[in-house]
């Protein structure tokens, strides 16, 4: 869990620096959006090709490799003065985050205790949110108050990644090496047949919520500065954290309901937050913007953890890496494609208009979730077989 949090803390480090890059290096909103897209594309490509590698090489080796790639990304971002360097650093971080998304999350589920039953899905789905929260706040504070504002946060993250790698080295392996590593590199996206009917709604949840996270990365720095007239790097980190932190706190709430009910509740709250966000931007009210961000973040946490819980239903050790690869492939697709489109549109449309488009996406995803959310089918378990698998995780859908 420490390694997963450290990994995503590193990926959040550049966010409070985006306005610095805009002011000092002439980066545009479209450039910042392209950096978000580059990171997401690196993650997507890694999940497609390397997402099942930890099943064959073991969790530890792939986890350490992911931390090493993130470390290289941090070192490259120490010297950002042109767009090419920023994109290269974010690409490396994307590849590292993609490998971490499948290997470290699977590692967490492998080692999670059986009680409470929702713990594995909450820890694996919300660990990245916690890391993003801590990384954004720490980065904002160091950029605003510490020496070397453009470099120190990357050095701190590099140190944390080295520490995380050391912890992985001394941790027990949960997936022994097996043949087929080269064959696993052939891109294949799958979830177990028993939960395939859950995938469309889960995709809507992941796409809409992660698109919002990408919106906050790409456009929130300029939005807060230009529309809400606040320029503090620490405040930028806190605003981003206001979306991510309630996700971590909201996730256990969803464990009190079935996965379908929790997805409906979470997405309804998420949409209510988006209505407040659009209203706050329209009237220029900072307090409402923060409050609505917190509401949207809480809804995100409930919905994402519930969707993850459903897809992990009755999972075996072999299921987990490809399932998490599918989950994060959908998540990062939600971050990448809307960012790519909105980044191009930012040259012709204002930031409030772009925010309105993301609000429309939230409406569509929420309506689909409310109408189509389903629970796993308990009566299908007997047809799956392999009941004596010692690595089969307990039912993660019941609270």
């Amino acid at each position: 869990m420490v390694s997963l949090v450290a990994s995503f803390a590193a990926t959040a480090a550049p966010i409070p620096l985006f306005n610095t890059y805009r002011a000092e290096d002439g980066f545009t909103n479209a450039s910042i959006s392209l950096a978000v897209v580059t990171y997401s594309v690196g993650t997507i490509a890694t999940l497609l090709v390397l997402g099942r590698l930890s099943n064959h090489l073991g969790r530890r080796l792939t986890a350490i490799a992911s931390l090493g790639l993130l470390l290289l990304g941090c070192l490259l971002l120490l010297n950002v003065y042109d767009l090419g360097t920023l994109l290269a650093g974010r690409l490396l971080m994307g590849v590292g985050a993609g490998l971490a998304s499948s290997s470290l999350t699977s590692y967490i589920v492998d080692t999670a205790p059986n009680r409470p039953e929702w713990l594995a899905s909450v820890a694996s789905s919300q660990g990245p949110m916690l890391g993003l929260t801590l990384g954004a706040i720490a980065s904002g504070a160091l950029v605003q108050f510490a020496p070397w504002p453009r470099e120190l946060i990357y050095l701190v993250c590099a140190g944390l990644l080295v520490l995380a790698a050391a912890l992985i080295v001394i941790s027990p392996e949960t997936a022994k090496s097996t043949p087929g590593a080269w064959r696993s590199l052939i891109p294949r996206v799958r979830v177990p047949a028993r939960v395939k009917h859950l995938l469309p709604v889960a995709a809507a949840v992941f796409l809409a919520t992660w698109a919002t996270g990408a919106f906050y990365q790409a456009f929130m720095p300029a939005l807060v500065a230009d529309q809400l007239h606040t320029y503090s790097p620490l405040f930028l980190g806190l605003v981003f954290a206001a979306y991510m932190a309630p996700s971590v706190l909201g996730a256990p709430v969803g464990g009190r309901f079935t996965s379908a009910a929790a997805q409906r509740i979470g997405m309804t709250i998420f949409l209510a937050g988006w209505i407040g966000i659009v209203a706050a931007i329209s009237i220029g009210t900072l307090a409402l913007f923060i409050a609505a961000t917190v509401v949207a973040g809480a809804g995100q946490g409930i919905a994402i953890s519930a969707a993850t819980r459903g897809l992990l239903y009755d999972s075996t050790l072999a299921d987990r890496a490809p399932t998490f690869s599918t989950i994060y492939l959908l998540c990062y697709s939600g971050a990448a494609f809307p960012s790519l489109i909105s980044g191009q549109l930012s040259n012709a449309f204002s930031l409030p208009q772009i925010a309105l488009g993301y609000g429309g996406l939230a409406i569509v995803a929420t309506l689909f979730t409310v109408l189509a959310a389903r629970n796993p089918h308990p009566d299908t378990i007997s047809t799956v077989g392999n009941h004596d698998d010692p690595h089969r995780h307990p039912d993660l859908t019941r609270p």
Side-chain angles (χ1 to χ4, degrees), residues 131-343:
L132 291 168
T133 298
L134 297 176
I137 294 175
S139 178
L142 292 178
V143 170
Q144 184 161 343
F145 299 114
W148 314 315
R150 295 174 64 119
E151 295 89 12
L152 184 58
I153 182 58
Y154 296 124
L155 293 173
V156 170
C157 288
L160 289 174
L161 292 168
V162 170
L163 175 61
L167 292 174
I168 292 292
V169 167
I170 62 174
S171 298
E173 178 60 78
T174 60
K176 297 186 184 302
S177 298
T178 59
W182 284 109
R183 199 163 51 249
S184 75
L185 302 182
I186 300 172
R188 192 190 328 169
V189 177
R190 71 171 180 88
V191 295
R194 62 185 172 273
V195 295
K196 277 187 177 179
H197 67 288
L198 306 178
L199 199 55
V201 170
V205 169
F206 297 141
L207 290 170
T209 54
W210 278 64
T212 300
F215 168 81
Y216 271 72
Q217 289 187 54
F219 298 108
M220 181 269 297
L223 193 64
V224 169
D226 301 341
Q227 303 295 132
L228 303 175
H229 312 295
T230 301
Y231 301 92
S232 163
L234 176 57
F235 188 81
L236 290 180
L238 290 171
V239 170
F240 184 72
Y243 180 63
M244 294 299 172
S247 178
V248 179
L249 300 176
V253 175
R256 300 177 180 273
F257 304 92
T258 65
S259 60
Q263 286 176 84
R264 292 189 183 102
I265 293 168
M267 289 303 289
T268 301
I269 295 171
F270 173 74
L271 178 58
W274 252 112
I275 292 171
I277 291 167
V278 171
I281 294 170
S282 299
I283 61 179
T285 304
L286 187 58
L288 177 59
F289 181 78
I290 295 172
T293 296
V294 170
V295 171
Q300 168 189 247
I302 296 170
I304 286 179
S305 62
T308 302
R309 183 159 44 107
L311 294 176
L312 285 175
Y313 181 77
D314 199 42
S315 65
T316 65
L317 186 145
D319 290 334
R320 290 166 199 159
T323 298
F324 275 115
S325 294
T326 302
I327 289 171
Y328 282 103
L329 182 63
L330 292 169
C331 290
Y332 283 105
S333 295
F337 295 113
S339 292
L340 181 62
I341 295 169
S342 57

